[in-house]
Each structure stands twice: as structure tokens, then as C-alpha cells.
Amino acid sequence: MDDFMKAAIHEARLGLEEGGIPIGSVLVHQGRIIGRGHNQRVQRGSTILHGEMDALENAGRQPASVYRESVLYTTLSPCPMCTGAILLYGIPKVVIGENQTFMGGEALLHQQGVECTVLQDETCIALMRDFINARPELWNEDIGV
């Protein structure tokens, strides 16, 4: 596992420690993390701060060229909202920790030419599986069920 996915997992664990949902993400440009984040829906009472959205927010305002040269790492398959942000900003590659516990918008990403690499990382799978088992109502709220 590379250091960028390790950083995303670290973010996911921070979210869990804060009482939130364990999904983390980092945005990498030219081999450097420019944004990192984790799901903040519970902690900040937010409707949109999923892990990917938090990482994009924390990257700050960037020129379009930066996004087009970046890679987004996320511990879980991106939901439709996060998929839309990836497409909107033209991020060409997404590295996904796992998609066994939740399958997001990967088909749409593929259809739009985004390269998706799914790792099926056991740490990512265990984080989500354990969380979903412990807090199904919170998980269902997060994905709009």
C-alpha cells in the first residue's frame, strides 16, 4: 500500500475517533498531498462533507489544471455526490480502498474516462464493515437511505 492510501486511512480513523463515519480521502498533485479530509457529517452537522468533499474543500481553491493533474485517494467507493465532484473538476484518476461494503459511482466514472483503481484493502473493508454493523442507522443516513 502506498503512502497516499495510508494517509486516507489515517483520515478515516480520525473520523471514527471523532464519532463520525470512517471514510478518508486525500487529493494528490505531482506526488504531494494538497488536500486531506474525512467524513464530517456528524462532527460538523454537514449534509455534504463526505471524505472526498472534505479533502477537496481542504485543498482550497485551485486552478482547473491542478485538478486535471491530480489523483484522488479515497477509502471507499465514491457516492454519487462525490462522483459528481470528481467529474466536475476533471480529476482523471481515483484510487479506491474498497467497494465491497458500498459501490458508488464507479461505473459513471469509468464511462466518463476516469481511471479507477480498486485495492480491496482489508483495513478499509474492516473499518466500514465494523462501522456499518455498529451504527447502521448512521450509515444509512450518510448514503441517503
Side-chain angles (χ1 to χ4, degrees), residues 32 45 53 112:
R32 184 177 65 86
M53 302 298 276
Q112 295 297 311

Side-chain angles (χ1 to χ4, degrees), residues 14-85:
L14 286 176
L16 185 61
E17 290 170 12
E18 294 169 354
I21 299 163
I23 303 168
S25 183
V26 296
L27 183 64
V28 177
H29 179 254
Q30 296 182 347
R32 184 177 65 86
I33 295 173
I34 62 170
R36 59 178 65 232
H38 52 273
N39 189 299
Q40 296 275 340
R41 290 189 69 254
V42 173
Q43 301 92 309
R44 296 183 59 190
S46 171
T47 58
I48 62 167
L49 281 181
H50 284 190
E52 300 91 338
M53 302 298 276
D54 193 38
L56 290 168
E57 177 71 13
N58 290 328
R61 187 174 167 196
Q62 299 291 331
S65 61
V66 169
Y67 297 112
R68 287 192 303 265
E69 298 172 345
S70 293
V71 179
L72 184 72
Y73 286 75
T74 179
T75 58
L76 185 64
S77 183
C79 76
M81 175 179 65
C82 297
T83 294

Side-chain angles (χ1 to χ4, degrees), residues 2-145:
D2 69 29
D3 288 339
F4 301 129
M5 185 53 70
K6 287 178 184 175
I9 291 171
H10 175 75
E11 288 293 326
R13 287 183 170 138
L14 286 176
L16 185 61
E17 290 170 12
E18 294 169 354
I21 299 163
I23 303 168
S25 183
V26 296
L27 183 64
V28 177
H29 179 254
Q30 296 182 347
R32 184 177 65 86
I33 295 173
I34 62 170
R36 59 178 65 232
H38 52 273
N39 189 299
Q40 296 275 340
R41 290 189 69 254
V42 173
Q43 301 92 309
R44 296 183 59 190
S46 171
T47 58
I48 62 167
L49 281 181
H50 284 190
E52 300 91 338
M53 302 298 276
D54 193 38
L56 290 168
E57 177 71 13
N58 290 328
R61 187 174 167 196
Q62 299 291 331
S65 61
V66 169
Y67 297 112
R68 287 192 303 265
E69 298 172 345
S70 293
V71 179
L72 184 72
Y73 286 75
T74 179
T75 58
L76 185 64
S77 183
C79 76
M81 175 179 65
C82 297
T83 294
I86 292 163
L87 295 174
L88 177 67
Y89 289 106
I91 297 169
K93 182 174 181 178
V94 180
V95 179
I96 300 164
E98 66 103 353
N99 64 7
Q100 290 184 13
T101 61
F102 176 78
M103 175 61 77
E106 291 174 47
L108 180 57
L109 291 172
H110 285 295
Q111 180 185 37
Q112 295 297 311
V114 176
E115 179 185 345
C116 295
T117 301
V118 182
L119 304 177
Q120 300 303 11
D121 177 76
E122 288 301 322
T123 300
C124 295
I125 294 167
L127 274 169
M128 284 310 301
R129 183 186 55 234
D130 294 348
F131 178 78
I132 292 168
N133 287 336
R135 300 291 310 272
E137 75 292 344
L138 191 55
W139 171 242
N140 287 334
E141 175 189 319
D142 194 64
I143 59 172
V145 175

